[in-house]
Amino acid sequence: MSNKNYKFGTKAIHAGAEPDPSTGAIMTPIFQTSTYVQESPGKHKGYAYARGKNPTREALQKNIAALESAKHCLCFSSGMGSMDAVIKLLRPGDEVITGDDLYGGSYRMFTKVFANYGIKFHFVNMTNAENITKFVNDKTKLIWAETPTNPTMQIVDIEACGEIAKKHNLILAVDNTFASPYLQNPLALGAHIVMHSVTKYLGGHSDVVMGALVMNDDKLFEQLAFIHNSCGATPGPMDSFLVMRGIKTLHLRMERHCFNGRKVAEFLKTHPKIEKIYWPGFTDHPNHSIAKKQMRDFGGMISIVLKGADLNETFKIASSFEVFSLAESLGGVESLINHPATMTHASIPKEEREKAGVVDNLLRLSVGAEDIEDLIDDLKKVLG
Ligand SMILES: *Cc1c(COP(=O)(O)O)cnc(C)c1O
């Protein structure tokens, strides 16, 4: 595919994929090999060992870069593996400013792994950019933002973070997992690195664990590519193939996720059993105007607080759905329901998570791509 500036769906289907030169196969083959034969020592076709380079992975990386309208992409064996590479850009003594409503695994990696290496993390409410500025000092190197946040769907103003990063010469990395490149492109708003848990919307079928980093800056790419190959959290060719296949329908799936998400959110908003609902598409969501500015639509992730439900009743409700499956993860075509306090966010101390709104009667929905009537019926059947 040429470098012409094609629209999103066309890029999702075609970017990175070239007919296989040996057969003309339209789909990039699964290059299931660990090594490549050399003609004489060091003389090869650009491929020496598959941790460093694999053609299936390269095709996928080109595709994801195109979706973020970026120059470079590196795929990792998990979202956490990709974040790990970003933090490895830092040195002991460096400081990071990040949100107080992060994916539980991100919080765990920052506090339980990298804090031991002398890196300091400040967890602040990033919906107000002034909170970030307050913590900037000479040791600050990185702002790590996640938006929409997980699970309370707060929106961080990426452009405002980008201005702070520029002023103080910091790297701004944005976890774009919840929005997907279909809804939001942080590089265009001043971010230097975009991270995806590819496991979620990009893969889209709950069958692969993978991560990706996307960037324009050549120097940053070189540093991250060095860590990628040196530390080795690289994905295999079969997984790369599955994600390439998944991405071909990303735009179609996202349209349906957004449509179903809105219908489910509207149904739950006025439901007598719901005390609170978090979805950035509502005009009374506290950061709705920023969401509208930086996102193309509002997605299918919704969190709800059940009115007056204790832990037992919350568990009972979470386990009673038929179409929504009780499971961690999100972003697949199948609808999922999750209890953050004991599932995705269990590694965050109770006091910390309750401060961020992750109370015992909070449930998170990943609204899938099923027929909306069946989803609403399932909710009605359980909630009444
Ligand atoms: C799932 C997730 C991650 C971690 O990705 P894995 O692929 O599970 O390693 C990071 N951030 C967010 C927002 C996620 O949802």
Side-chain angles (χ1 to χ4, degrees):
M1 192 182 179
S2 71
N3 287 330
K4 186 177 160 205
N5 203 9
Y6 286 105
K7 292 203 186 319
F8 191 90
T10 309
K11 290 198 280 194
I13 293 168
H14 293 286
E18 298 289 345
D20 175 51
S22 64
T23 61
I26 191 164
M27 290 303 298
T28 305
I30 303 164
F31 284 89
Q32 194 74 47
T33 188
S34 61
T35 191
Y36 308 86
V37 176
Q38 310 195 4
E39 219 175 282
S40 61
K43 191 170 176 216
H44 53 70
K45 297 183 161 72
Y47 299 92
Y49 185 61
R51 173 167 19 79
K53 266 172 116 183
N54 178 287
T56 319
R57 191 208 311 159
E58 284 181 317
L60 172 63
Q61 289 176 162
K62 279 189 196 154
N63 181 282
I64 296 178
L67 298 183
E68 291 284 7
S69 300
K71 217 165 145 187
H72 306 291
C73 170
L74 293 164
C75 285
F76 290 79
S77 50
S78 70
M80 295 319 298
S82 66
M83 287 181 68
D84 170 85
V86 175
I87 307 302
K88 283 174 177 161
L89 292 168
L90 308 179
R91 301 246 183 297
D94 287 350
E95 297 191 6
V96 180
I97 300 170
T98 188
D100 60 0
D101 186 25
L102 288 180
Y103 173 68
S106 308
Y107 179 85
R108 180 175 58 195
M109 190 175 75
F110 292 165
T111 56
K112 298 265 167 58
V113 180
F114 283 108
N116 294 337
Y117 289 76
I119 295 165
K120 191 164 174 185
F121 295 87
H122 299 281
F123 299 93
V124 308
N125 181 338
M126 289 177 77
T127 56
N128 182 350
E130 274 174 33
N131 290 337
I132 304 173
T133 314
K134 265 191 245 164
F135 286 91
V136 176
N137 63 44
D138 328 339
K139 294 181 181 143
T140 314
K141 292 282 150 51
L142 173 72
I143 300 174
W144 183 275
E146 189 181 315
T147 183
T149 67
N150 176 10
T152 63
M153 308 303 295
Q154 307 299 299
I155 305 294
V156 176
D157 187 337
I158 300 172
E159 211 166 5
C161 292
E163 277 161 25
I164 296 169
K166 194 168 176 196
K167 184 165 167 210
H168 300 280
N169 201 20
L170 312 174
I171 298 171
L172 170 63
V174 176
D175 183 337
N176 203 23
T177 301
F178 266 41
S180 90
Y182 179 82
L183 295 181
Q184 175 172 283
N185 300 116
L187 296 177
L189 300 166
H192 304 96
I193 301 172
V194 170
M195 174 256 164
H196 284 285
S197 169
V198 173
T199 315
K200 316 295 168 52
Y201 285 108
L202 285 168
H205 296 76
S206 311
D207 53 6
V208 177
V209 172
M210 194 188 287
L213 299 177
V214 187
M215 66 237 95
N216 280 319
D217 187 273
D218 294 332
K219 191 162 159 256
L220 210 44
F221 170 67
E222 254 174 56
Q223 289 172 320
L224 288 165
F226 180 80
I227 295 168
H228 189 230
N229 182 45
S230 304
C231 298
T234 55
M238 182 72 188
D239 285 356
S240 302
F241 172 84
L242 284 170
V243 173
M244 288 266 280
R245 182 183 167 117
I247 286 177
K248 285 180 192 289
T249 55
L250 178 63
H251 52 303
L252 305 173
R253 288 185 280 112
M254 289 309 296
E255 243 177 59
R256 178 66 82 95
H257 286 301
C258 290
F259 174 83
N260 283 355
R262 175 176 292 280
K263 294 279 184 205
V264 167
E266 282 167 355
F267 169 75
L268 293 171
K269 193 169 202 292
T270 53
H271 196 285
K273 290 241 174 80
I274 306 299
E275 181 184 310
K276 202 165 180 181
I277 179 161
Y278 298 99
W279 185 65
F282 289 128
T283 50
D284 60 357
H285 180 288
N287 323 118
H288 176 71
S289 60
I290 298 165
K292 222 173 142 183
K293 185 181 77 166
Q294 69 190 20
M295 296 171 73
R296 292 181 193 97
D297 204 337
F298 305 104
M301 294 303 298
I302 300 166
S303 291
I304 49 175
V305 177
L306 299 169
K307 198 176 277 176
D310 60 11
L311 194 60
N312 261 346
E313 195 181 343
T314 306
F315 274 15
K316 193 167 157 243
I317 287 173
S319 327
S320 302
F321 293 96
E322 201 171 289
V323 184
F324 283 87
S325 300
L326 178 64
E328 300 202 6
S329 200
L330 60 113
V333 287
E334 43 288 291
S335 290
L336 301 180
I337 190 157
N338 162 56
H339 182 247
T342 57
M343 293 167 68
T344 45
H345 291 62
S347 57
I348 303 176
K350 190 175 164 80
E351 203 177 290
E352 290 292 312
R353 71 172 157 78
E354 290 199 335
K355 248 198 291 176
V358 187
V359 289
D360 283 348
N361 49 342
L362 178 97
L363 293 174
R364 187 188 78 185
L365 308 180
S366 172
V367 180
E370 298 93 341
D371 287 289
I372 186 62
E373 294 82 358
D374 292 328
L375 294 177
I376 300 285
D377 281 353
D378 202 31
L379 291 165
K380 276 187 187 156
K381 192 191 75 195
V382 176
L383 295 172

